[in-house]
Amino acid sequence: MNFIYLDHNATTPIFPETQKFMGAHLDIFGNPSSIHWAGRKSKALIRESRISIAQFLKVSPLEIIFSSGASEASNTVIKTTFLHSLKKHFMCSTVEHPSVIKTMQYIQSLGAKVDFIPVSREGLIDLEFYKKNLTTETALVSVMLANNETGSLFPIQEMAQMAHAKGALFHTDAVQALGKHVFSLIELGVDYASFSAHKFYAMKGSGILYSKKGAPQISLIHGGAQERHRRGGTENLLGLASFGEVARQVIEKGGIDFIQKKSEEIKILRDHLENRILKEISHVKLTASENPRLTNTSSLILDQVDGETLLMNLDIKGYAVSTGAACSSGNPEPSPVLLAMGLTREEAQTSLRISLGWENSLKEVDQFIDDLKISVQKIRDIANSPYKFDLKLMSPVGEV
Ligand SMILES: Cc1ncc(COP(=O)(O)O)c(C=O)c1O
């Protein structure tokens, strides 16, 4: 079977050059904290990784704190700010990743006042609500740079300026923007940002917290002196090395220009995908497509097509796509992001997310649409059939 991967917002395949690099470094095993030769080799690998990532992000290596991933990075910022700030008001959008929303709900249960900023059906964040509720009592605002399900981009620079004017810190979950969208942390002006290696063509289980010079840097995980006492625990050596190696490869290929080029190429594929789907499949709506969004993401509502059934149908044919966030797969509830944007449960249940990546081709996209058309027709035929079917099993159930 020909496998086609169209789920890059869930995770990305490991960059081919990085796979080679990893293979060549599997024998590096020393504890980076050990001062002997084995430890020094590992420490050098981590140092090189930090330098490459810092160069790519155009920040100081000292502003990078390695972590197990973006969830840990976001948890660190929110929980330590709650513990250490005298101010107890927090804000985030209603469409954040669970690593932000659930952490905000957790500190809310401990006494924080949290305001959740609404996002419209079209993917626009409610700046009026934000302005009205942001006060000098606000400790921290956390709003993502790009949404994982719809690709919507939020006005982080403007929102960070507004937060700073009130004396609040600003954090952005920039996971989905890395490698897909050109941005500058300096221009955004945020105090903190979370990133994940596995959304950037590197290995799973590592990430970074960008912590701007001067911003409070308090450890969530106490232990060893790693990360200059800002995050205890022996480093995920090869995971971090893979992250650094992707950054190095990208710099070698042109840095930001490479990302811009990839983003434009992918937009051509995404526009082709959406145009063909809208033309060739009836009763389809795009979600949040009118406003700025990542060029790789397409979020669709397909009337009368159960998302999970469609996903399984496409999986059998070798396609990997998603119906909502992969982090909540196995959860039959419709996507909380789409519900928060005002879509009905029925609409959210018929959603499909296609997220393209660096390696996808026009041929793959065309083949996918041809098969998507067949799957959608089949599911709609069954849904409209006078017979009762369990759509998930694709077999008749109950009385015929
Ligand atoms: C927007 C966003 N933030 C955070 C995360 C969590 O990242 P990690 O898996 O590195 O903890 C994800 C992963 O799905 C994500 O899409």
Side-chain angles (χ1 to χ4, degrees):
M1 187 159 52
N2 190 12
F3 290 105
I4 296 182
Y5 189 76
L6 303 171
D7 200 14
H8 292 77
N9 288 10
T11 196
T12 45
I14 298 174
F15 202 42
E17 283 93 329
T18 304
Q19 288 184 31
K20 279 189 218 139
F21 175 88
M22 301 317 298
H25 288 80
L26 286 175
D27 60 344
I28 298 200
F29 66 93
N31 186 327
S33 300
S34 301
I35 54 172
H36 49 60
W37 59 267
R40 286 200 305 276
K41 273 191 181 182
S42 297
K43 202 171 184 80
L45 206 56
I46 291 184
R47 189 174 53 242
E48 282 156 24
S49 173
R50 192 188 311 279
I51 291 171
S52 300
I53 294 170
Q55 257 173 14
F56 174 59
L57 292 174
K58 296 196 167 60
V59 298
S60 158
L62 295 176
E63 294 176 308
I64 289 189
I65 303 171
F66 284 138
S67 70
S68 66
S71 298
E72 183 190 315
S74 300
N75 265 262
T76 300
V77 173
I78 299 167
K79 288 179 181 165
T80 61
T81 306
F82 173 68
L83 284 172
H84 293 273
S85 174
L86 294 175
K87 302 192 278 184
K88 298 294 176 208
H89 178 233
F90 290 73
M91 296 182 90
C92 73
S93 84
T94 52
V95 296
E96 295 300 313
H97 184 265
S99 53
V100 167
I101 291 259
K102 293 211 169 142
T103 311
M104 287 289 187
Q105 286 167 345
Y106 175 66
I107 61 164
Q108 196 175 28
S109 76
L110 298 178
K113 179 179 184 300
V114 184
D115 278 314
F116 296 90
I117 314 161
V119 171
S120 77
R121 219 185 140 92
E122 274 313 316
L124 281 179
I125 193 154
D126 189 340
L127 287 178
E128 283 311 309
F129 178 97
Y130 179 51
K131 272 186 222 158
K132 215 169 91 195
N133 291 280
L134 183 69
T135 74
T136 50
E137 279 311 299
T138 308
L140 175 80
V141 178
S142 179
V143 176
M144 64 203 329
L145 184 48
N147 184 266
N148 42 312
E149 290 191 45
T150 60
S152 289
L153 289 161
F154 296 120
I156 298 306
Q157 189 179 13
E158 187 184 350
M159 294 183 83
Q161 274 169 8
M162 287 158 74
H164 290 154
K166 298 281 185 190
L169 291 162
F170 198 97
H171 165 255
T172 190
D173 170 348
V175 165
Q176 291 294 341
L178 191 66
K180 298 177 183 138
H181 178 67
V182 173
F183 65 91
S184 146
L185 282 172
I186 305 296
E187 277 171 27
L188 291 179
V190 296
D191 301 289
Y192 306 106
S194 306
F195 297 97
S196 181
H198 76 93
K199 313 274 183 179
F200 187 54
Y201 302 86
M203 285 164 71
K204 285 157 191 64
S206 64
I208 55 177
L209 168 59
Y210 159 76
S211 179
K212 190 176 160 180
K213 189 170 177 247
Q217 294 182 350
I218 299 150
S219 182
L220 180 70
I221 301 183
H222 295 94
Q226 290 91 353
E227 299 303 293
R228 294 172 176 254
H229 299 275
R230 296 172 300 179
R231 195 269 186 184
T234 305
E235 299 87 341
N236 173 357
L237 181 64
L238 287 181
L240 294 173
S242 73
F243 199 172
E245 178 58 13
V246 177
R248 203 189 63 75
Q249 290 286 342
V250 169
I251 294 169
E252 206 172 279
K253 291 176 193 307
I256 291 301
D257 292 342
F258 172 78
I259 303 292
Q260 180 67 36
K261 186 169 150 274
K262 280 285 172 203
S263 158
E264 285 164 13
E265 284 169 8
I266 289 173
K267 183 174 187 302
I268 295 171
L269 295 187
R270 202 268 316 269
D271 289 351
H272 175 76
L273 174 110
E274 291 186 347
N275 290 338
R276 263 199 74 190
I277 289 179
L278 289 175
K279 211 157 77 194
E280 298 175 33
I281 303 179
S282 64
H283 301 98
V284 182
K285 279 182 285 198
L286 296 176
T287 311
S289 63
E290 300 293 319
N291 291 300
R293 61 178 167 142
L294 294 174
T295 62
N296 81 314
T297 309
S298 194
S299 172
L300 309 165
I301 305 289
L302 293 137
D303 277 5
Q304 282 194 319
V305 181
D306 177 68
E308 263 189 61
T309 310
L310 179 61
L311 189 141
M312 286 187 248
N313 217 274
L314 290 167
D315 180 34
I316 290 166
K317 296 177 185 173
Y319 299 102
V321 287
S322 158
T323 54
C327 312
S328 52
S329 64
N331 174 2
E333 282 299 300
S335 150
V337 167
L338 298 180
L339 294 181
M341 288 168 61
L343 273 72
T344 63
R345 283 181 76 83
E346 288 69 32
E347 283 176 316
Q349 244 141 4
T350 58
S351 75
L352 179 70
R353 180 187 73 183
I354 301 144
S355 49
L356 306 171
W358 292 351
E359 79 289 359
N360 288 135
S361 66
L362 184 63
K363 190 167 163 251
E364 287 178 325
V365 169
D366 272 326
Q367 190 184 320
F368 169 71
I369 302 164
D370 293 342
D371 278 323
L372 176 70
K373 277 164 62 178
I374 297 168
S375 295
V376 166
Q377 194 54 52
K378 193 154 112 191
I379 295 167
R380 282 183 176 160
D381 286 349
I382 293 170
N384 291 321
S385 136
Y387 301 105
K388 280 188 186 162
F389 279 80
D390 181 329
L391 285 173
K392 301 224 166 56
L393 298 172
M394 287 302 218
S395 62
V397 289
E399 276 182 30
V400 174

